[in-house]
Amino acid sequence: MFPTMHHANFVHLHLHTQYSLLDGAIRPEALIAFAKEQKMPAIAVTDHGNLFGAVEFYQKAMSKGIKPIIGCEVYVAPGSRTEKTAVKGEYAFHLVLLVKNAKGYQNLCKLLTRAYTEGFYYKPRVDKELLKEYNEGLIALSACLHGEVAYNLGNGEQEVVNKRLIELGIKLDIPLVATNDCHYLKKEDARVHDVLLCIQTGTTVNATNRMKFSTDEFYVKTPQEMQEAFKDTPEALANTIEIAERCNFELDLGKYFLPDFPLPPGETLDTAIDSKAKAGLEHRLSAMKKAGLEVDSLQYYDRLEKELKVIKGMGFPGYFLIVTDFIEYARSKDIPVGPGRGSAAGSLVAYSLGITNLDPIKYNLLFERFLNPDRISLPDIDIDFCFEKRDEVIKYVTAKYGVDKVTQIITFGQMKAKACIRDVGRALDMPYGDVDKIAKLVPNTLNITIEEALKQEQRLREMYEKDPRVKDLIDTAIALEGLPRHASTHAAGVVISNKPLDEYLPLYKQQKEDSITTQFTMKDVEKIGLVKFDFLGLKTLTVIDKAIKFIKQNRGVDLDLENLPLDDKATYALVASGDSNGVFQLESSGMKELLRKLKPTTFEDMVAAVALYRPGPLQSGMVDDFINRKHKKTAIVYEVPQLKGILENTYGVMVYQEQVMEIAKVLAGYTPGDADVLRKAMGKKDENMLQEQRHKFLEGSKRNKIDPRKAEKIFDLMAKFAGYGFNKSHSAAYALVSFQTAYLKAHYNVEFMAALLGSDMGNTDQVVKYINECKDTGIAVDPPDVNESSM
């Protein structure tokens, strides 16, 4: 029961947020703030045909002490959901469903999933058969004028329908519920919402016979306004509170539901990862010894045991085995796999299992940057596959774990600054040339907002201030900016579940596509405990694969990509010359300039170049300092001798986040987990956390007999650097791909250029660029010939 003295006696139960795409204009955060201000004890969200925003809404409402009621305004087919026909012009009726409990949530997920996969006809539709099967735990409201009840009552003006609904309620003894079909937050937002409808329907505000709301009453009314509107039926208001009290579903956040990895009899996940990782490390060490390298095997086995202990303690062996399995499948089918990416390259277990191909001990990559033993969070291993064959690996995973347990993840395209201005301009019926001129004044800065553009671009500001039509356009665009515009499929994310996915969340299917996705975004998928795996398509792997096959075909050379000489002088000479067209991550003019100045001579230099070529290091002078130290134009000075072993490979400059962690461990006695906490605090620049960490660092340094003044100076340097620091594990893994492509270009340029041209056939600009380079280097490029061409 809600404490009646402390809350309003009304709850909104029919409401559309921004996730009723291009129809709802209510932002969840603003909605919750309004509900809090109005002392509403609860609020429901009932977006059209989906639960896209359910997790976000739930968390924001809970954080403000407001009960979230998860619901949906579903589309109901007039007959069978499988029949693509309409009855008297209606292909679907509206019905509001509210979740009471866990069973209701699960049933709503199943209803919505089947609406998209079985009942799609203009809209995702359920039918009476499905409603009968999946009704437990749900409360149904007859919805708006588009509801079946209202339609059969004459579907006229709302006041007429309301009168008939009251009569019907009395006759059938069905309780009345007061609702307002909310599509925007405030009454004055009606015009902005009307523009949104025009964007959705591809019409303009001046068009006749267009879709248009009949009044400006579709806003989130205050409890007082609702009491005035329903003063003749107070029981309808009281019933909103009763329904809110009956809806007590809580999302189970914070748990993980790992997929079930199949094992032979007598084997456990722990024993399986132990044996597989140890066998893999043995194979790695054996290869190193065969190559004539001196190896401290004890160091490797000791670290492996420590990592395995953490992984097993966190309950993640299955995750590693699943990733290992689909990577092994890819390699068995000759599908190129990248050497690794992200912080996973810091794991010796991942290296031993073949998930990554970079020795983390050799390059001082830290496991704690990947998994913090002091804080349980899911591992996140991103895998690069050949762009052309990535889907084969996803098909393998789907077949292995079940089509009902594997799917891709939804993502939403937003109304970004320039596009939003153009959309609004079209809807307002403004001349294209005028709108184009305004949109082009928005700076080409990633994720810039219209308000930021007004501050940065004086000409835009002047037009805004002097021309009322421009002001109206910009103000309307600002009101709509950032709203989700459409749903699509995430480029990499794949969910693998231990149970049918629709027991955890609803699924979504694009009308014109075959792919099925979750209805929750990647972050929300993880919040409800499902595990996602990133299958990324990297075109460079396709290029490398083609080049190696051409080399074998033309020269009879079997190139071992995993054992290229990382001290190859010809490769570094090519990179230092700036001749890096087609070389992974080294193609831009800015990067070429950096490399010409840096003149890398070691693989560590390549790793640093990948990390340094970012706005922060470039603008701060950090890059110039690094280059000058390398070329001995600036003296390399270490505040304390202990820093030399940590910063020597980067000439005394802090380039990587891992270096911050190492400094904290060596100078101040931090545990590996605590060092990762420090790294995060510095990256976020949280003043309170930084003060706590400063005290801890100085106290630890004091115990290790570090001069307090030097310790303070070092901490300040770390804090200043943290904004620029990069993840060395990722930088090293990608630098390896850069080196591999540079090696191919330096030693097998003809085959490498042929592979590039073959992989970029659809990109005219790239093809022209590479053909011109071939001409400049004396490589003949003949036109396609059915008798000669082999591609």
Side-chain angles (χ1 to χ4, degrees):
M1 294 285 289
F2 298 120
T4 52
M5 290 179 63
H6 303 295
H7 70 75
N9 291 318
F10 170 76
V11 169
H12 277 289
L13 298 176
H14 186 178
L15 185 147
H16 298 276
T17 71
Q18 61 190 24
Y19 290 105
S20 288
L21 300 181
L22 300 183
D23 185 14
I26 301 174
R27 300 175 196 259
E29 202 162 319
L31 171 67
I32 301 304
F34 180 77
K36 185 78 175 174
E37 175 192 308
Q38 295 296 322
K39 295 187 169 68
M40 296 182 193
I43 199 159
V45 162
T46 58
D47 283 315
H48 279 305
N50 72 71
L51 295 184
F52 294 157
V55 177
E56 178 188 353
F57 161 66
Y58 179 88
Q59 286 194 297
K60 285 179 176 172
M62 291 293 283
S63 71
K64 299 298 182 182
I66 292 169
K67 181 195 277 192
I69 301 171
I70 291 175
C72 180
E73 186 167 18
V74 300
Y75 298 98
V76 183
S80 168
R81 66 187 180 279
T82 60
E83 293 174 359
K84 304 210 181 310
T85 55
V87 173
K88 295 180 182 176
E90 295 290 335
Y91 56 81
F93 294 114
H94 294 190
L95 181 71
V96 171
L97 298 178
L98 303 173
V99 169
K100 288 200 299 182
N101 49 35
K103 185 64 178 178
Y105 171 76
Q106 196 176 88
N107 277 336
L108 185 55
C109 289
K110 290 181 181 295
L111 282 167
L112 292 175
T113 298
R114 294 181 71 171
Y116 280 97
T117 57
E118 298 174 5
F120 208 108
Y121 180 58
Y122 292 99
K123 299 290 183 184
R125 308 174 310 161
V126 298
D127 60 12
K128 304 287 174 55
E129 179 190 11
L130 286 181
L131 289 169
K132 185 177 180 181
E133 185 177 355
Y134 298 114
N135 68 78
E136 186 182 344
L138 294 170
I139 294 174
L141 308 181
S142 59
C144 57
L145 290 174
H146 290 286
E148 188 171 6
V149 174
Y151 178 82
N152 286 314
L153 287 176
N155 204 0
E157 291 295 322
Q158 187 71 59
E159 287 184 10
V160 176
V161 171
N162 282 355
K163 184 180 177 183
R164 292 177 181 172
L165 284 170
I166 293 169
E167 293 169 356
L168 187 65
I170 294 169
K171 181 179 178 181
L172 299 178
D173 195 25
I174 297 174
L176 291 170
V177 182
T179 63
N180 196 62
D181 188 359
C182 308
H183 284 254
Y184 39 91
L185 188 62
K186 298 176 181 176
K187 190 166 189 172
E188 56 266 32
D189 295 335
R191 182 173 179 275
V192 169
H193 180 262
D194 190 45
V195 172
L196 185 67
L197 289 181
C198 289
I199 293 171
Q200 181 208 144
T201 55
T203 57
T204 72
V205 291
N206 297 324
T208 56
N209 298 321
R210 67 176 176 87
M211 178 183 174
K212 182 177 175 66
F213 280 22
S214 55
T215 72
D216 59 0
E217 299 293 321
F218 292 85
Y219 65 96
V220 185
K221 296 191 174 184
T222 66
Q224 292 75 22
E225 287 176 303
M226 291 300 289
Q227 284 161 12
E228 176 61 28
F230 290 91
K231 60 187 176 185
D232 295 333
T233 52
E235 71 277 15
L237 294 163
N239 283 334
T240 67
I241 296 294
E242 184 188 333
I243 288 172
E245 288 173 341
R246 289 167 62 188
C247 293
N248 294 301
F249 171 66
E250 293 183 10
L251 272 173
D252 196 0
L253 306 177
K255 291 183 180 178
Y256 300 123
F257 306 104
L258 284 157
D260 296 322
F261 182 74
L263 292 167
E267 190 94 77
T268 67
L269 293 172
D270 286 1
T271 60
I273 196 171
D274 276 342
S275 59
K276 199 164 183 64
K278 285 168 186 172
L281 180 57
E282 199 171 304
H283 175 74
R284 294 282 195 189
L285 294 175
S286 175
M288 291 179 202
K289 289 170 185 173
K290 278 184 184 176
L293 300 173
E294 288 188 18
V295 180
D296 181 355
S297 297
L298 189 62
Q299 181 187 14
Y300 281 85
Y301 281 110
D302 181 55
R303 174 155 167 180
L304 188 78
E305 287 294 341
K306 287 177 180 175
E307 287 192 17
L308 284 170
K309 184 178 178 182
V310 171
I311 290 166
K312 289 185 287 188
M314 287 181 160
F316 296 145
Y319 183 97
F320 283 82
L321 292 169
I322 289 165
V323 175
T324 304
D325 177 69
F326 63 67
I327 286 177
E328 287 177 349
Y329 169 80
R331 291 188 173 127
S332 74
K333 297 296 181 183
D334 198 27
I335 299 171
V337 184
R341 61 148 59 205
S343 57
S347 168
L348 186 65
V349 169
Y351 178 62
S352 301
L353 292 172
I355 293 170
T356 59
N357 271 337
L358 205 65
D359 182 349
I361 288 180
K362 181 178 179 181
Y363 295 104
N364 200 25
L365 309 179
L366 303 184
F367 176 69
E368 294 76 26
R369 178 63 185 81
F370 171 54
L371 277 183
N372 187 335
D374 299 333
R375 191 193 68 254
I376 293 182
S377 61
L378 275 171
D380 188 9
I381 302 178
D382 300 342
I383 310 295
D384 290 314
F385 293 100
C386 163
F387 186 80
E388 294 177 355
K389 298 179 179 178
R390 163 186 172 268
D391 286 348
E392 290 181 35
V393 188
I394 296 176
K395 285 177 184 174
Y396 165 75
V397 168
T398 304
K400 180 162 187 140
Y401 297 97
V403 71
D404 60 337
K405 296 175 186 172
V406 180
T407 196
Q408 292 181 264
I409 298 174
I410 204 168
T411 188
F412 295 99
Q414 290 183 317
M415 298 177 72
K416 295 291 182 71
K418 284 192 179 192
C420 189
I421 288 171
R422 294 183 190 279
D423 280 337
V424 172
R426 279 191 293 270
L428 293 177
D429 221 358
M430 290 180 68
Y432 172 81
D434 293 354
V435 177
D436 185 57
K437 183 180 177 182
I438 295 163
K440 282 179 177 175
L441 288 175
V442 175
N444 292 317
T445 305
L446 185 66
N447 295 326
I448 192 170
T449 65
I450 299 171
E451 288 185 340
E452 287 167 354
L454 284 169
K455 291 174 186 173
Q456 292 179 25
E457 179 50 66
Q458 181 65 26
R459 290 171 297 172
L460 183 63
R461 184 79 198 175
E462 286 174 0
M463 291 176 72
Y464 175 80
E465 290 172 348
K466 292 176 182 177
D467 189 334
R469 291 174 72 246
V470 175
K471 185 178 188 304
D472 182 43
L473 167 65
I474 295 293
D475 286 345
T476 306
I478 288 172
L480 295 175
E481 185 180 19
L483 294 181
R485 198 185 197 289
H486 62 270
S488 58
T489 303
H490 189 275
V494 174
V495 179
I496 308 177
S497 173
N498 62 336
K499 291 194 292 190
L501 281 159
D502 64 6
E503 294 189 24
Y504 293 113
L505 47 66
L507 300 178
Y508 173 80
K509 184 175 181 290
Q510 294 271 24
Q511 186 180 6
K512 296 178 181 177
E513 295 179 14
D514 290 331
S515 64
I516 294 174
T517 68
T518 60
Q519 282 194 23
F520 295 169
T521 61
M522 186 175 287
K523 286 184 179 178
D524 291 346
V525 161
E526 291 178 323
K527 283 173 184 174
I528 65 166
L530 292 178
V531 183
K532 63 95 179 170
F533 299 80
D534 281 338
F535 294 71
L536 296 114
L538 186 62
K539 190 176 66 178
T540 301
L541 297 181
T542 312
V543 172
I544 292 172
D545 184 54
K546 286 182 177 179
I548 288 173
K549 286 171 179 169
F550 289 156
I551 293 164
K552 168 73 172 173
Q553 178 184 315
N554 289 356
R555 310 193 191 202
V557 175
D558 279 314
L559 201 62
D560 184 0
L561 202 65
E562 291 187 23
N563 289 297
L564 297 179
L566 293 181
D567 58 354
D568 182 68
K569 290 183 179 178
T571 301
Y572 293 114
L574 178 135
V575 170
S577 72
D579 181 20
S580 51
N581 280 345
V583 176
F584 182 64
Q585 296 222 318
L586 309 186
E587 284 198 83
S588 71
S589 58
M591 178 58 102
K592 289 176 182 176
E593 183 185 354
L594 186 155
L595 293 168
R596 279 192 285 262
K597 290 179 180 177
L598 177 62
K599 299 194 183 306
T601 52
T602 66
F603 183 65
E604 285 283 0
D605 285 349
M606 293 277 283
V607 177
V610 172
L612 287 168
Y613 188 64
R614 294 175 297 115
L618 287 166
Q619 292 164 11
S620 68
M622 184 175 165
V623 173
D624 291 335
D625 188 30
F626 184 93
I627 291 169
N628 288 336
R629 287 172 181 236
K630 174 178 169 59
H631 297 302
K632 299 181 180 175
K633 294 178 181 177
T634 299
I636 301 172
V637 179
Y638 301 102
E639 286 295 327
V640 294
Q642 295 94 321
L643 290 180
K644 185 176 181 182
I646 300 169
L647 301 177
E648 193 169 19
N649 283 332
T650 52
Y651 312 105
V653 179
M654 294 182 207
V655 175
Y656 310 115
Q657 296 165 351
E658 286 87 340
Q659 289 173 320
V660 166
M661 294 168 67
E662 283 288 278
I663 291 168
K665 289 193 290 183
V666 172
L667 267 61
Y670 275 58
T671 66
D674 284 347
D676 188 56
V677 171
L678 170 70
R679 187 264 309 170
K680 281 191 172 178
M682 287 184 162
K684 290 179 179 177
K685 299 195 179 296
D686 184 311
E687 282 304 317
N688 291 332
M689 286 182 69
L690 277 176
Q691 285 306 314
E692 289 176 20
Q693 290 295 333
R694 174 186 287 274
H695 177 75
K696 182 174 180 174
F697 183 86
L698 295 179
E699 286 297 308
S701 299
K702 188 177 179 181
R703 285 193 296 272
N704 285 339
K705 298 182 170 52
I706 305 294
D707 183 323
R709 288 171 300 177
K710 289 187 174 181
E712 192 147 354
K713 185 176 180 181
I714 290 166
F715 186 89
D716 289 340
L717 281 171
M718 290 161 66
K720 179 184 175 184
F721 143 86
Y724 312 131
F726 198 68
N727 176 348
K728 186 180 183 183
S729 294
H730 181 72
S731 191
Y734 264 21
L736 183 57
V737 183
S738 299
F739 182 89
Q740 289 168 345
T741 47
Y743 183 92
L744 289 171
K745 184 167 188 177
H747 293 276
Y748 304 98
N749 197 23
V750 173
E751 290 84 357
F752 180 68
M753 294 308 294
L756 272 177
L757 285 165
S759 298
D760 266 323
M761 285 188 289
N763 188 327
T764 305
D765 291 342
Q766 291 291 84
V767 168
V768 169
K769 180 173 78 173
Y770 295 142
I771 286 177
N772 287 336
E773 178 166 332
C774 287
K775 288 177 181 176
D776 292 343
T777 54
I779 298 173
V781 180
D782 295 331
D785 187 319
V786 292
N787 296 314
E788 298 290 335
S789 300
S790 61
M791 292 187 66

